[in-house]
Amino acid sequence: MAEGTRRELFTILETSSADADTVPDGGETPVNLSMDVRWFEIPFREPEEDEEQDEEDGERENGCRSAGGAEDTAGGRCDIILVTGNGIKHEEEHPEEERYYSVSYNCSDDSDIDFSDMEEEEHASCFGLDGDSEEEEDCASPHFWGEPDQVISIEPFSVLSGPQHSLGSDADTRDYFRLLFPDSLFEHMVEQTNSYALYRQRRSGKSDPHWHPTDLREMKAYMGLNILMGVNQLPDVDMYWASDIFIGNAGFKKTMTARRFEKLTQNLHLCDRESEPVRGERGYDGLYKIRALLDVTENTMWDSYTPKRCLTIGQGAVAAKGRFCPTQYMPSKPLKKGLRVWMLCDSRSGYCHRARIYVGRASEDATVTALAYRVVTSLVRGLEGKHHHLFMDSFFTSVPLMQRLLRDGLYACGPTEPGRRGYPEVLRPCNVGKLSPGEFYQCQRGNLVATVTRDSKVVSCLSSNSAPGLVGIGPDQEQQGEGDDNWTDTPEEGGVSFGVPRPLPLLLYQENMRGVDLCDQLRDCYPVGRPCKKWWRYFLWFYVNICIVNAYVILRESRGSVPPGGCNGKHFTQRHFRVRLAQQLIGDYQGARGMERAARKRHADSPIEYGHRLERMSERSRRCRNCTNKGLRHESVFGCKICNVHLCRGGCFSEFHK
């Protein structure tokens, strides 16, 4: 085959890493991909008769043999492009049968390219059709899919994205958290908590002598203690107020008593119970108990950070202990059983823009596809026409959803179930047969590309933001030699061998589907809240935790590597952010310990600050240390074993430890 023809069939686009790194977020590159990947473009092209005539007799037999497996199983005409280190062979077509696309690889060394240099042609519509014909033709039609020989059209992303706030350089962690969780929510919690405490007393018919109304300062201090419990995790709440000096926390004891913390936890509420609608009544809301929280945080999360180009839609899980009807079994998640939440997150930072709580399938959601369709359209509302790139898992991805997103000006990519409506019949496992690692087949309909490939297993995916025929070969990380920064193709030389070729849709998904997982990792490192018997409490602490993670992401992107003023150390991690936020929420608040002491029957026998306790020291009485210091002579058998002194049971114990 002539060298000119070979360049037409197999195009290598070369770009330096320095030029690719300077491409802005809103530039021509539809996605951000690793520069360690070697890229190849293998465009689909029908053979010309004069070029095929010379090689037809000698190559027909071998070409049919290499494509035999695909032809036998799929029953379609194949246009096989075989890429080898020695050259390219374009096999003969079978005109009486239907075609699809197959590629095999053995790549050479001089093939580093970047997707950003591809030239894109403009089309009249995202499917290459006018709007009326697109709406009329069903995706399940046998003529819907065609050959992967069309150029896709991707509009550039030019929206100003990132944190949106007016905080100055002197802003601290509390200011960033206030962007997501404003003081109005604390005031609402104070009002409804006091109201619910009175509601419980009226319902029981007796007053609670250990309860007094809370206020804004105490509610913030209560929230700060819950945040610190996620950093300093103990198996039981009472252990934070333990008398053991190795377990008890002096800061917790100074802020409020264990009984006060327990009472706040019992009466914590976010809604008016007396006006709550009953199930079956008009206006019933399954999320009524946290509706006020959802209304506020949904707006603050969306307004504080404008979504960037690449977004992830995935499923999150909230750990819950109890028998709640919304609890789901999720075998694909690290947390197998819990409360399900669907999230829209930034692919790079993990910032959560929106979250939707699953409370049961609606009556109109007859199938999983219908439910996934409604979830995605709800999460992306407000992004229409801005040309974002969405990455979803197989639960959501379907042909009707991809069509809807394209009509709304949104591009998407993700694996799918091959048995769903609209997926090409020729790409289903029963028709494709056994694939070799790196081999893939594709069909196309305008911007919509269907791909089936074999990586660690057979994967079927749909994409509307990747051109057909593009493949990348990433380095095998396990083969990297220590202390060697250069990539090589020979593991024996101490370098890295390049692994199995992957089509572009699969690489896009692997590079940009980390958003929800990253958000879950940041959230699960320091969980907020304790297990309880009320399901809505788990969602309350879930949103508090999400607001903390989002505030940390905003601070990190707004300030870069510069920590807030007064923070020592080079690194300002999420742990430092949470500890500093809790300290600022607590401030100098100290609970009304006198009101707690008055309700106790045996004040002197109760533990006090720093783990000291009044106990019987010996059978023989000895002089009280506190009275001796004042020039008095009194004896007692009681005292403090930690201080190893005898003290009177009256006020000497408290006075001595002040």
Side-chain angles (χ1 to χ4, degrees), residues 492-551:
E492 290 78 4
E493 298 177 2
V496 175
S497 65
F498 284 80
V500 178
R502 294 179 176 88
L504 181 58
L506 183 60
L507 282 167
L508 296 185
Y509 177 80
Q510 292 174 341
E511 287 289 331
N512 296 279
M513 193 55 194
R514 66 188 68 176
V516 175
D517 294 336
L518 178 58
C519 183
D520 287 342
Q521 290 175 4
L522 294 173
R523 180 170 53 87
D524 293 340
C525 288
Y526 310 102
V528 180
R530 309 292 298 189
C532 62
K533 298 181 180 179
K534 300 178 180 180
W535 64 269
W536 64 267
R537 294 276 184 91
Y538 291 101
F539 288 120
L540 165 63
W541 298 123
F542 167 78
Y543 274 94
V544 171
N545 216 347
I546 284 292
C547 289
I548 296 174
V549 171
N550 286 350

Side-chain angles (χ1 to χ4, degrees), residues 209-230:
H210 303 295
W211 168 258
H212 61 273
T214 184
D215 55 13
L216 183 61
R217 289 188 61 203
E218 186 177 41
M219 185 58 66
K220 290 182 178 180
Y222 173 78
M223 184 69 70
L225 293 182
N226 277 278
I227 296 175
L228 289 175
M229 286 181 179

